[in-house]
Amino acid sequence: MAQLTKLRRGRYEHPFLPISRADLDARGWDACDIIIISGDAYVDHPAFGPPLIARFLEGRGFKVGFIAQPDWRSIDDFRTLGKPRLFFGIAAGNMDSMLNRLTAQKKNRGEDQYSPGGERDRRPDRATIVYANRAREAYPDVPIVLGGIEASLRRIAHYDYWSDTVRRSILLDAKADLLVFGMGERPIWEIASRLKNGESIDQLRDVRGTAFPVGKREADTIAAQASERVSDGRVVVMPSYDEVRSDRHKYALASRTLHFETNPYNARPLLQRDRWDGSGVYFNPPALPLDTAWMDELYDLPFNRAPHPIYNDAPVPAFETVKHSLVIMRGCFGGCTFCSITEHEGRVIQNRSADSVLRELRAMRRMEDFRGTVSDLGGPTANMYQMRCESEKFESKCRRLSCVHPTICEHLETDHGPLIDLMKKVRAEEGVKHVHIASGVRTDLVVDGDRGQEYLEELTRHHVGGQLSVAPEHVSDDTLKLMKKPGIESYDRFTEQFRCASQAAGKDQYLVPYFISGHPGSKLEDMIELALYLKRKGYRPRQVQDFIPTPMSLAATMYHTGIDPITMKPCYTARGLKEKKLQKALLLYWNPEQHDLVREALTLAGRTDLIGNGPECLVPPAPRRPPTRAPKPAPRRPLHKRRAS
Ligand code: SF4
């Protein structure tokens, strides 16, 4: 009821979705059709996945309730809104719950960015599994549909960095009925509509972008139709969970197959058996990408662009970061192996229209604290807006994992023109003073893409708030190849162009390059090469990324197996936490707090020549510590006195 009172006072433009029995009564509902459960705080903003899906279903006529960060220690919170008519939709939130809590060194993070006040411990580890099991206990006969990034990237047997084990599909541990992977709108709409029209959850066997558990008999029937031939388009039987768990080579093979079956225009269904009993999981091909009409529909939904009032204005850190930003597209065709965006959002760029972006900007202008600065105009990558494969014929057959690596594909349309037009339109809006680009710029597209130079001029003249984030990630060719990133010379060309363009614009601004330590392929020697590069260029990165093998990424496969799954050749990987720490320290060689570790790394690599005070050295010699004196022995009592005592 409290939320409706606030609405009457006019603070929020739209009613929030019901979160309590009182909210249902206020709407005159006896029950919800669908209840979405999320591990994040309820923030009514399109950057938050579960609320976006909830608003989307509401917009399509369903009665949707929302349970945020329920107490998982009992089933009470899972019964707050009663029993849903169609299903529970369950997500861990915008991030994998393990990644959300733990760092690369497996230590607790300082705060939970997706909780009010940044509070930790508001969600369990492996939240998807825990929530699904509680929801099942609360209402055993209600179908459970998993979604969100945690479920999506753990849908198949996968390496889990935090437990250092291979885990089976999350669908089986959660004992759920269906799992939606990738972008959820199309599958969730089909699931909701078909259930509403009377089909049972067990009949939903052909929804693109979903996976479901199969018993032995069904798995046998499916396996009998399998074919090795790509052109047949028939189901592919993957190595089983048992096989990938015990055999690293088979794990790498399974990862390879999975990644080559991600193009929605030619991907085949997959079957992975679980254990000795022959049951398993069946994966339909991925959902088709959203066209502009779908994308616009999503961003036109009635968001309050605010956290729910139950949080009493305690800031949700992730919301504070994105509240004045505009997402203009989804997807990424970069295919960087350490990143899961291509796997989760897809390789096809899904664009909003300029009108839709401007409508959202006008809604943002109505926010109390908007002062005219758009903090970001971007998406997974800043400059892929409206870029696409020029030919449906090639795209429908293509099995490349990246459109830009090892070189930019000749069929990729790289015109920056539509983005330049959009940037101009956003700048021209009344009440807008600054429009920053905070998303990472794909520098090779700027250097070699169509109208890249014009884009750079526009960018440097109007959109760099003093500094621009770019991600060369490394300097070593071998490591960059494994990452599927362009060589450092491409980045160097970009820095020169950026410097000239900034000078021409009369702006004193600089690049903030991001680098990763500990990535597969990267040895101590490579990190020393990188540290020397940083020193030569005068960079002192303050934020560095210690590589985390996130579920389902190709780099996680390299980390776990020591095999590059694309070439099936061995590759080096720093597996111990100590070596990861030493690699990270080399990126921070200039920081006195890291000097002991840097000296240790240089000594281990046989590069003590870089310890010293010379101009080429990375760190000074260890300070001479005063020799530790042995404590003075207590004066011995004269023998005669000892005897006397
Ligand atoms: S043909 Fe080229 S541009 Fe088209 S999808 Fe394949 S890699 Fe991308």
Side-chain angles (χ1 to χ4, degrees):
M1 196 62 84
Q3 84 185 63
L4 292 182
T5 315
K6 288 218 173 195
L7 276 173
R8 273 187 224 111
R9 277 200 248 127
R11 182 167 169 193
Y12 303 106
E13 285 186 58
H14 313 284
F16 282 85
L17 295 164
I19 61 164
S20 64
R21 187 70 243 173
D23 288 348
L24 294 183
D25 293 342
R27 288 178 178 233
W29 294 1
D30 56 343
C32 299
D33 295 325
I34 299 156
I35 295 174
I36 301 291
I37 300 176
S38 169
D40 291 343
Y42 177 13
V43 180
D44 196 26
H45 186 281
F48 289 74
L52 173 64
I53 289 288
R55 281 286 190 206
F56 165 68
L57 289 167
E58 180 196 44
R60 295 252 172 145
F62 292 95
K63 291 179 176 169
V64 185
F66 202 90
I67 300 177
Q69 300 190 314
D71 180 354
W72 65 95
R73 296 167 197 93
S74 86
I75 58 172
D76 296 349
D77 281 1
F78 296 79
R79 287 185 166 161
T80 309
L81 294 172
K83 181 174 163 179
R85 287 195 193 92
L86 299 180
F87 63 90
F88 278 115
I90 291 177
N94 260 15
M95 275 177 88
D96 186 280
S97 54
M98 300 307 293
L99 183 60
N100 182 290
R101 184 171 72 79
L102 294 168
T103 65
Q105 288 287 320
K106 305 189 183 182
K107 297 202 172 114
N108 280 323
R109 293 186 192 278
E111 66 174 7
D112 181 339
Q113 294 266 315
Y114 290 88
S115 289
E119 220 179 285
R120 294 187 313 178
D121 304 326
R122 277 207 167 222
R123 82 184 84 210
D125 285 352
R126 311 193 191 284
T128 309
I129 297 173
V130 177
Y131 292 160
N133 289 332
R134 287 285 173 275
R136 183 69 86 207
E137 281 173 50
Y139 297 106
D141 55 339
V142 174
I144 291 179
V145 179
L146 309 180
I149 199 155
E150 180 167 281
S152 182
L153 299 182
R154 293 177 182 268
R155 64 182 179 270
I156 199 158
H158 57 278
Y159 174 69
D160 178 75
Y161 174 64
W162 294 276
S163 60
D164 196 20
T165 58
V166 175
R167 294 179 66 97
R168 63 182 186 163
S169 167
I170 196 170
L171 187 56
L172 301 173
D173 286 333
K175 300 180 187 70
D177 299 283
L178 271 180
L179 180 155
V180 171
F181 58 87
M183 297 289 90
E185 289 84 1
R186 279 187 194 274
I188 207 78
W189 162 239
E190 187 175 343
I191 293 164
S193 309
R194 287 172 63 175
L195 290 178
K196 189 180 175 192
N197 291 335
E199 285 186 67
S200 74
I201 194 83
D202 294 336
Q203 289 174 292
L204 305 185
R205 294 307 213 214
D206 54 352
V207 182
R208 278 179 160 269
T210 66
F212 54 86
V214 286
K216 179 179 183 323
R217 193 177 300 169
E218 194 176 358
D220 287 346
T221 313
I222 292 167
Q225 300 157 5
S227 167
E228 294 283 305
R229 287 159 54 103
V230 171
S231 56
D232 285 354
R234 297 213 300 255
V235 67
V236 181
V237 178
M238 307 278 281
S240 71
Y241 165 57
D242 259 351
E243 288 175 314
V244 299
R245 194 170 52 141
S246 54
D247 183 333
R248 285 169 197 243
H249 191 264
K250 288 224 166 104
Y251 185 102
L253 264 181
S255 172
R256 183 176 202 280
T257 306
L258 177 73
H259 284 86
F260 281 119
E261 299 294 342
T262 49
N263 179 350
Y265 301 118
N266 59 29
R268 295 172 290 171
L270 309 173
L271 171 73
Q272 185 174 50
R273 304 250 195 189
D274 184 37
R275 291 192 168 181
W276 46 269
D277 67 354
S279 62
V281 180
Y282 180 85
F283 304 85
N284 281 296
L288 295 174
L290 300 183
D291 59 22
T292 298
W294 273 79
M295 289 289 288
D296 288 359
E297 178 190 340
L298 294 177
Y299 287 86
D300 282 343
L301 289 167
F303 293 102
N304 284 304
R305 306 184 70 83
H308 193 284
I310 45 167
Y311 305 122
N312 290 325
D313 294 330
V316 177
F319 170 69
E320 297 301 315
T321 310
V322 300
K323 65 183 176 182
H324 297 148
S325 67
L326 294 166
V327 168
I328 58 176
M329 66 193 175
R330 278 185 188 173
C332 178
F333 48 70
C336 301
T337 56
F338 51 82
C339 171
S340 303
I341 288 176
T342 305
E343 276 89 9
H344 187 57
E345 296 198 5
R347 191 154 45 95
V348 179
I349 304 300
Q350 300 154 79
N351 308 286
R352 296 173 65 187
S353 68
D355 285 347
S356 161
V357 175
L358 295 179
R359 280 196 294 276
E360 190 185 357
L361 175 58
R362 285 165 206 149
M364 201 159 81
R365 274 175 31 206
R366 295 198 292 276
M367 291 172 75
E368 278 172 8
D369 58 354
F370 181 71
R371 304 274 178 272
T373 299
V374 176
S375 61
D376 187 25
L377 182 74
T381 306
N383 56 327
M384 289 187 182
Y385 183 65
Q386 291 204 13
M387 292 186 183
R388 58 169 69 87
C389 185
E390 65 175 11
S391 152
E392 281 181 19
K393 192 174 124 210
F394 288 121
E395 190 173 37
S396 65
K397 293 204 169 84
C398 181
R399 281 179 185 266
R400 268 180 70 159
L401 301 182
S402 166
C403 299
V404 283
H405 190 271
T407 53
I408 296 178
C409 175
E410 57 180 328
H411 300 298
L412 183 68
E413 281 179 8
T414 57
D415 184 8
H416 286 75
L419 179 54
I420 296 170
D421 290 346
L422 180 60
M423 289 152 81
K424 285 182 177 157
K425 282 181 181 159
V426 171
R427 283 205 312 270
E429 269 293 300
E430 192 191 327
V432 172
K433 294 182 197 148
H434 306 286
V435 182
H436 298 316
I437 306 288
S439 299
V441 172
R442 184 84 201 192
T443 55
D444 49 349
L445 279 174
V446 175
V447 171
D448 294 319
D450 288 349
R451 296 178 72 185
Q453 189 58 37
E454 195 181 331
Y455 168 74
L456 186 59
E457 282 162 18
E458 196 77 11
L459 183 73
T460 46
R461 195 168 292 275
H462 302 288
H463 299 279
V464 180
Q467 53 189 49
L468 181 73
S469 304
V470 281
E473 309 293 11
H474 217 293
V475 295
S476 144
D477 270 347
D478 289 346
T479 310
L480 287 167
K481 266 183 205 143
L482 288 174
M483 289 177 167
K484 288 197 180 298
K485 291 289 287 186
I488 194 66
E489 60 290 341
S490 165
Y491 172 71
D492 286 341
R493 277 165 65 201
F494 176 81
T495 53
E496 187 51 25
Q497 290 180 1
F498 178 83
R499 193 187 59 75
C500 293
S502 294
Q503 215 169 38
K507 298 277 177 98
D508 185 18
Q509 50 199 14
Y510 54 94
L511 294 172
V512 179
Y514 284 82
F515 294 96
I516 300 183
S517 60
H519 191 278
S522 175
K523 303 185 182 114
L524 279 181
E525 293 78 5
D526 298 310
M527 291 307 296
I528 293 168
E529 191 192 330
L530 174 50
L532 289 169
Y533 173 88
L534 296 176
K535 187 175 165 98
R536 267 198 314 278
K537 297 281 177 185
Y539 292 142
R540 290 188 161 195
R542 276 162 207 283
Q543 281 188 334
V544 299
Q545 203 187 325
D546 185 0
F547 168 68
I548 300 181
T550 49
M552 227 183 94
S553 66
L554 285 164
T557 302
M558 297 176 205
Y559 177 87
H560 169 57
T561 63
I563 298 169
D564 171 4
I566 304 306
T567 59
M568 292 305 287
K569 289 189 180 146
C571 64
Y572 176 80
T573 186
R575 278 193 58 87
L577 290 182
K578 182 64 194 268
E579 187 181 343
K580 280 167 76 62
K581 211 173 183 176
L582 293 180
Q583 290 211 15
K584 185 175 174 189
L586 280 162
L587 272 181
L588 299 166
Y589 74 91
W590 50 271
N591 182 344
E593 284 176 19
Q594 304 293 328
H595 281 179
D596 280 343
L597 285 171
V598 176
R599 280 187 284 267
E600 192 179 337
L602 292 172
T603 308
L604 269 174
R607 292 300 307 269
T608 45
D609 58 305
L610 296 175
I611 303 172
N613 294 313
E616 287 301 314
C617 292
L618 288 173
V619 279
R624 290 168 67 91
R625 297 192 172 97
T628 47
R629 289 206 191 120
K632 261 188 177 174
R636 288 171 69 85
R637 297 176 74 191
L639 203 55
H640 66 280
K641 287 199 175 176
R642 274 191 264 162
R643 277 199 201 111
S645 59

